């Protein structure tokens, strides 16, 4: 479209320069252009859902085989932080939806304010995620393949700090009453839980980071006053993407945090 | 070959060129995304080249765990990340095609006036969108498993390697239809146009493409009959697998019915189309043997499987791809190739292909296993003939390539707008097409009404029939009733 459109002017006498400002040359009407973009975005979101589905399948099979160990594992996650993050994302989803309305009405200053709140929420979400991750990192609650994981089957790592860590002591109390076979099984399954936990939340976190990038880009464009009643597609599609990020978390929160 | 050639071959290379023109649109819906998808393809290809140049890849294209996660010493991560990136290239192509078909159809281009190639690409796009993200996550999980050990697939960490097979084949079985459906679309175009007859059973071919797309998602377990899944699952997947044979056979029977009493002209693309009917016939029917539980246990992981999928993947998809290239070559570059040289290439490639892979059916049924670097002495003669066939195939394909390259050099033989007498819209613009494909939006009528064009000696090609009553659109719309 970039170079071909420049050439096309000469060939399309009936097309000329009298088309609307935001209409790409290969579309006939703004409506067709908007519908195409929207359909494509929905199809893309569908691929995103399917992208996460593989991990949900892994989660489902592992949990179906070891339901009680999974609920034990979930007790190591901090429901308070998870709940706060859920609220933070829901607020950001609301402001993202409002920003679309603002763009449609051409309210640039409100649009910018809503985008900035969305960005702040996204940043807060990642900050809380950092707090959670670093606690688990220091407590050795990590995928079993890592060297400093307490679930490493060959060489379990017990961190210095863990001797005073309330989670670690709780776990010790649980596994000390088990038979050796049970203990090994419990520890490897716990490791897999944390493997799935880090994978799912990590992949979701990557999507949040991408969302932050895209929303920042939309904010720059809003700052230039690009959006208005006949050009709000970018805001609309970005908000759709952000709702998906929110939606995935809505599933992750109960599946990971609330099964204890 | 799978990720870099066959999957993007027809949908991305031919589809991007021909689909908007056949639809009567100026371009695909997202030209920039299109270019991005090409750049992703290049990046993915680069990853595979790096994998080859560093430690190679010894897992095969299936990357089965736990060998790929814990034992292989080769460049698995480069390859899986390459395939991951190629997956997104494929998704974006599919997305582009889907939206283009839905939103870019001009007035008059109804669903049942679309050429069957578009139906095939559309069904392919649905599979690409619904299946490819799953291979994306499967390969990402495999990569993370290998790098960090999350314990999802690796049994040493308590993971489940069969889970990988399930997720892998959930994509990779539909993916074989990503490879073969567009090929069937090309063949439908070629058979109708070179028989100068409306395609027999237009709607049934169109719907069979969609049916294949749907069935493709519920048969993946037939790759896993010996993986230890339950007997009931095996029986169900086996039964479902046979259901795919129905829409596939519908296509083949309709092609043959189209040929019947047609005015067949044996130009190079038509020879490729006929070759595909033969090769897909063999490849498809041997698929039934593999879908049958009892025979599959015997034939599993033998050269019979290798021969079967080469007949389908190379014999059907690649031959149709090459046939499509010869068909659209005049449109792409505005030149005609030398028919004699091109036909010679086609014959040699066809003969070489059969000599290569037919003996492998026999060798496989006698027990020669796949994926070994050596074979037992009793299989020597089969391998001998396969090697000879492979050389003939190589020579044939080289001649085909030569005929194409030669047409661009030296004294060019200029192609007319419509050298084949096809009625689809891609032949109503000049060769090569102008920017945005059409100077004037073409009138849309049935895609296979061959009486709408006739041979004109001075053009060395076909031209629309004379307008009746001074209004060409009126005359055309009067006969737009074929489909």
């Amino acid at each position: 479209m970039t170079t071909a459109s420049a050439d096309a002017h000469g060939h399309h006498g009936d097309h000329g320069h009298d088309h609307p400002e935001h209409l790409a040359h290969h579309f006939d009407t703004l409506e067709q252009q908007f519908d195409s973009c929207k359909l494509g975005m929905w199809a893309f979101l569908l691929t995103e859902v399917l992208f996460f589905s593989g991990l949900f399948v892994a989660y489902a099979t592992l949990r179906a085989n070891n339901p009680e160990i999974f609920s034990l594992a979930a007790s190591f996650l901090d429901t308070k932080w998870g709940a706060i993050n859920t609220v933070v994302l829901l607020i950001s989803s609301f402001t993202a939806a409002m920003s679309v309305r603002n763009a449609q009405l051409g309210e640039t200053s409100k649009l910018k304010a809503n985008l900035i709140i969305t960005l702040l929420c996204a940043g807060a979400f990642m900050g809380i995620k950092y707090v959670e991750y670093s606690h688990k990192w220091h407590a050795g609650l990590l995928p079993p393949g890592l060297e400093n994981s307490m679930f490493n089957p060959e060489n379990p790592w017990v961190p210095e700090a863990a001797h005073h860590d309330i989670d670690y002591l709780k776990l010790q109390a649980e596994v000390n009453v088990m038979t050796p076979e049970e203990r090994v099984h419990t520890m490897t399954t716990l490791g897999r839980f944390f493997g799935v936990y880090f994978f799912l939340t990590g992949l979701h976190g990557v999507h949040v980071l991408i969302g932050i990038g895209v929303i920042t880009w939309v904010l720059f464009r809003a700052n230039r006053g690009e959006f208005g009643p006949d050009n709000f597609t970018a805001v609309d599609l970005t908000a759709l993407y952000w709702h998906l990020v929110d939606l995935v978390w809505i599933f992750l929160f109960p599946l990971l945090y609330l099964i204890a | 070959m799978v990720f870099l050639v066959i999957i993007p071959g027809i949908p991305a290379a031919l589809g991007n060129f021909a689909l908007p023109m056949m639809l009567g649109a100026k371009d695909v819906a997202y030209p920039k995304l299109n270019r991005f998808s090409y750049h992703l393809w290049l990046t993915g290809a680069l990853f595979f080249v790096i994998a080859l140049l560093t430690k190679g890849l010894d897992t095969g294209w299936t990357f089965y765990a736990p060998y790929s996660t814990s034992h292989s010493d080769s460049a698995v991560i480069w390859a899986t990340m390459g395939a991951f990136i190629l997956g997104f290239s494929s998704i974006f192509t599919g997305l582009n095609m889907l939206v283009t078909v839905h939103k870019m159809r001009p007035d008059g281009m109804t669903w049942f006036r679309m050429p069957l190639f578009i139906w095939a690409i559309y069904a392919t796009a649905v599979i690409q969108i619904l299946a490819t993200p799953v291979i994306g996550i499967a390969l990402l999980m495999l990569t993370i498993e290998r790098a960090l050990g999350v314990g999802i697939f690796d049994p040493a960490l308590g993971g489940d390697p069969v889970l990988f097979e399930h997720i892998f084949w959930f994509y990779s079985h539909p993916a074989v239809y990503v490879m073969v459906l567009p090929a069937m679309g090309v063949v439908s175009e070629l058979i109708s146009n070179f028989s100068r007859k409306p395609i027999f059973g237009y709607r049934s071919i169109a719907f069979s493409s969609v049916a294949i797309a749907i069935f493709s998602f519920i048969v993946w377990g037939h790759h896993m009959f010996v993986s230890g899944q339950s007997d009931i699952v095996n029986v169900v997947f086996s039964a479902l697998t046979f259901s795919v044979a129905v829409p596939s056979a519908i296509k083949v029977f309709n092609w043959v019915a189209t040929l019947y009493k047609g005015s067949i002209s044996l130009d190079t693309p038509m020879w490729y189309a006929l070759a595909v009917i033969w090769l897909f016939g063999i490849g498809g029917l041997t698929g039934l043997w593999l879908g049958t539980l009892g025979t599959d246990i015997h034939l599993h992981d033998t050269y019979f499987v290798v021969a079967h999928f080469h007949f389908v993947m190379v014999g059907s998809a690649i031959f149709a791809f090459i046939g499509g290239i010869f068909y659209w070559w005049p449109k792409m570059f505005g030149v005609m190739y030398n028919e004699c040289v091109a036909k010679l290439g086609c014959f040699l490639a066809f003969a070489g292909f059969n000599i290569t892979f037919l003996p492998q059916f026999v060798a496989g049924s006698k027990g020669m296993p796949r994926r070994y670097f050596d074979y037992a002495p009793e299989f020597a003669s089969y391998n001998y003939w396969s090697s000879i066939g492979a050389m003939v195939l190589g020579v044939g394909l080289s001649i085909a390539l030569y005929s194409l390259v030669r047409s661009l050099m030296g004294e060019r033989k200029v192609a007319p707008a419509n050298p084949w007498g096809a009625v689809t819209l891609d032949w109503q613009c000049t060769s090569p097409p102008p920017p945005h494909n059409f100077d004037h939006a073409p009138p849309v009528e049935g895609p296979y009404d061959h009486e709408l064009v006739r041979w004109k000696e001075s053009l060395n090609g076909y031209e629309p029939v004379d307008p009746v009553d001074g209004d060409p659109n009126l005359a055309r719309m009067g006969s737009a009733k074929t489909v």
Side-chain angles (χ1 to χ4, degrees):
Chain A
M1 197 51 223
T2 45
T3 52
S5 65
D7 299 340
H9 287 294
H11 294 280
H12 290 259
D14 57 335
H15 203 59
H17 268 110
D18 54 356
H19 57 83
E21 189 189 348
H22 305 291
L23 181 65
H25 279 260
H26 59 297
F27 291 113
D28 292 328
T29 60
L30 275 174
E31 193 190 356
Q32 184 193 27
Q33 174 171 292
F34 178 73
D35 285 351
S36 301
C37 293
K38 196 108 180 195
L39 176 65
M41 193 65 198
W42 278 108
F44 176 71
L45 294 183
L46 183 62
T47 70
E48 285 281 13
V49 171
L50 286 160
F51 190 63
F52 276 97
S53 70
L55 278 169
F56 281 112
V57 168
Y59 169 91
T61 52
L62 292 181
R63 184 177 163 194
N65 291 334
N66 311 280
E68 67 297 328
I69 303 178
F70 258 53
S71 69
L72 169 67
S75 67
F76 294 100
L77 300 181
D78 196 328
T79 312
K80 176 190 71 195
W81 283 127
I84 293 175
N85 256 351
T86 309
V87 174
V88 165
L89 272 193
L90 282 173
I91 293 172
S92 74
S93 227
F94 174 73
T95 54
M98 286 308 292
S99 69
V100 180
R101 185 75 187 140
N102 297 144
Q104 286 170 336
L105 297 174
E107 303 166 333
T108 303
S109 53
K110 280 190 192 170
L111 166 64
K112 283 192 284 188
N114 274 321
L115 287 174
I116 288 169
I117 296 173
T118 312
L119 276 179
L120 289 176
C121 288
F125 179 89
M126 291 310 286
I128 290 172
K129 214 70 231 152
Y130 172 77
V131 172
E132 290 190 82
Y133 275 10
S134 62
H135 166 247
K136 284 177 191 60
W137 181 266
H138 292 300
L141 294 166
L142 293 172
L146 293 180
E147 264 180 31
N148 54 345
S149 165
M150 68 163 74
F151 307 115
N152 192 314
E154 278 150 27
N155 186 20
W157 181 76
V158 180
E160 198 64 27
H163 293 297
H164 312 289
D165 189 280
I166 188 156
D167 287 344
Y168 181 73
L169 296 174
K170 196 169 66 184
L171 180 63
Q172 285 302 313
E174 288 266 359
V175 296
N176 278 343
V177 296
M178 295 176 175
T179 63
E181 295 82 37
E182 275 179 347
R183 193 178 304 153
V184 169
H185 178 66
T186 305
M187 290 303 267
T188 52
T189 310
L190 285 174
R192 279 143 70 194
F193 174 86
F194 282 101
V196 173
Y197 165 81
F198 275 100
F199 206 152
L200 270 169
T201 55
L203 191 63
H204 177 259
V206 169
H207 280 78
V208 174
L209 289 177
I210 293 170
I212 290 176
V214 176
I215 295 169
T216 309
W217 170 68
V218 171
L219 183 61
F220 271 109
R221 289 182 61 181
N223 201 32
R224 289 203 300 259
E226 282 190 25
F227 299 118
D230 62 347
N231 183 29
F232 56 89
T233 310
V235 189
D236 199 351
L237 302 190
T238 306
L240 275 180
Y241 172 82
W242 192 250
H243 295 323
L244 178 90
V245 172
D246 187 18
L247 190 67
V248 171
W249 179 256
I250 296 292
F251 280 91
L252 289 186
F253 174 57
L255 286 178
L256 293 171
Y257 289 76
L258 300 183
I259 57 171
Chain B
M1 276 304 280
V2 169
F3 291 118
L4 282 161
V5 180
I6 308 182
I7 288 179
I10 300 181
L14 293 180
N16 269 320
F17 175 76
L19 182 132
M21 260 193 293
M22 294 178 110
L23 207 57
K26 292 174 194 157
D27 204 335
V28 290
Y30 311 120
K32 286 181 187 167
L33 187 71
N34 209 349
R35 192 178 57 181
F36 179 56
S37 133
Y38 175 61
H39 289 164
L40 282 178
W41 182 85
L42 280 182
T43 314
L46 186 68
F47 273 57
F48 270 101
V49 171
I50 292 173
L52 284 179
L53 292 181
T54 51
K55 285 176 167 176
L57 179 68
D58 61 357
T59 63
W61 78 288
T62 51
F63 303 112
Y64 273 9
Y67 183 70
S68 57
T69 54
S70 325
H71 304 290
S72 170
D73 189 35
S74 60
V76 175
I77 290 186
W78 281 108
T80 49
M81 283 294 92
F84 179 80
I85 294 167
L86 291 171
F88 277 91
S89 168
S90 178
I91 289 174
F92 290 145
T93 298
L95 208 122
N96 215 336
M97 297 300 161
L98 181 99
V99 175
T100 305
V101 171
H102 268 283
K103 296 294 177 190
M104 304 295 280
R105 279 177 292 128
D107 292 341
M109 179 56 85
T110 58
W111 283 91
F112 292 108
R113 280 185 180 177
M114 293 197 313
L116 289 167
F117 178 69
I118 297 185
W119 272 99
I121 294 282
Y122 179 77
T124 308
V126 171
I127 304 178
Q128 284 175 308
I129 289 172
L130 294 181
T132 318
V134 181
I135 190 76
I137 193 67
L139 294 173
L140 190 65
M141 285 156 89
L142 192 81
T143 307
I144 302 278
E145 177 80 282
R146 188 174 161 90
L148 302 175
V150 287
I152 296 176
F153 299 138
D154 185 356
L157 300 173
D160 184 355
V162 179
L163 180 66
F164 177 77
E165 292 188 32
H166 276 295
I167 303 179
F168 178 83
W169 285 115
F170 181 81
Y171 162 75
S172 294
H173 191 77
V176 306
Y177 298 103
V178 170
M179 305 178 214
V180 85
L181 264 178
M184 293 166 156
V186 172
V187 172
S188 300
E189 295 297 317
L190 299 183
I191 294 284
S192 171
N193 287 330
F194 289 96
S195 305
R196 297 201 56 72
K197 234 184 99 185
I199 190 97
F200 187 88
Y202 170 91
R203 281 191 190 225
S204 60
I205 295 186
F207 283 127
S208 67
S209 291
V210 179
I212 289 177
I214 294 167
F215 284 140
S216 72
F217 284 98
I218 50 175
V219 298
W220 79 88
H222 67 223
H223 295 272
M224 300 168 59
F225 285 155
V226 296
S227 70
Q229 64 187 4
S230 76
D231 288 346
I232 291 182
V233 172
N234 277 347
V235 169
V236 169
F237 273 124
S238 177
L240 288 171
T241 298
F242 291 125
S243 68
V244 183
V246 175
S248 309
I250 286 175
K251 284 177 189 288
V252 176
F253 287 132
N254 280 330
W255 293 335
V256 176
T258 308
L259 289 170
Y260 178 67
K261 288 191 174 174
S263 168
I264 296 173
S265 46
L266 291 170
D267 295 304
T268 310
M270 184 59 164
W271 279 113
Y272 278 102
L274 295 174
V276 171
I277 294 183
W278 165 263
L279 298 172
F280 181 73
I282 294 176
L285 288 172
T286 51
L288 294 176
W289 305 13
L290 294 171
T292 312
L293 274 174
T295 45
D296 182 73
I297 306 257
H298 173 64
L299 296 170
H300 187 87
D301 258 350
T302 66
Y303 258 74
F304 190 93
V305 180
V306 175
H308 157 71
F309 71 68
H310 277 88
F311 264 87
V312 181
M313 301 289 89
V314 180
S316 309
I318 293 289
F319 271 68
F321 178 45
I322 300 173
I325 291 175
F326 276 100
Y327 179 62
W328 277 295
W329 192 261
K331 185 55 71 183
M332 287 178 182
F333 297 101
V335 293
M336 297 301 288
Y337 43 82
N338 183 320
E339 275 286 338
C340 289
V341 180
K343 276 179 198 161
L344 177 68
C346 178
F347 297 152
L348 284 177
F350 178 72
F353 184 88
N354 282 296
I355 299 169
T356 308
F357 290 103
L358 284 175
Q360 294 185 359
F361 280 121
V362 186
S365 65
K366 292 191 173 187
M368 179 174 159
R370 292 170 75 180
R371 299 195 194 285
Y372 283 67
F373 73 97
D374 202 358
Y375 50 82
E378 66 261 35
F379 300 121
S381 63
Y382 305 115
N383 285 282
Y384 176 78
W385 282 105
S386 274
S387 301
I388 290 179
M391 282 182 255
V392 176
L393 176 62
V395 170
L397 291 177
S398 305
I399 292 174
L401 178 67
Y402 167 80
S403 75
L404 290 176
V405 174
R406 184 71 184 76
S407 71
L408 295 172
M409 299 190 309
E411 198 179 322
R412 290 164 170 233
K413 191 179 168 198
V414 176
N418 189 355
W420 311 126
V423 218
T424 48
L425 299 181
D426 45 334
W427 300 102
Q428 300 201 6
C429 56
T430 53
S431 298
H436 286 200
N437 293 343
F438 300 99
D439 292 330
H440 304 286
V444 182
E445 61 287 286
Y448 304 110
D449 290 343
H450 290 99
E451 67 269 30
L452 293 176
V453 293
R454 67 169 172 208
W455 177 257
K456 189 169 186 199
E457 200 62 44
S458 62
L459 288 175
N460 203 22
Y462 288 78
E463 62 163 11
V465 289
D466 282 341
V468 178
D469 297 328
D471 186 347
N473 290 348
L474 256 184
R476 283 152 174 251
M477 284 157 76
S479 56
K481 58 183 183 300
T482 308
V483 288

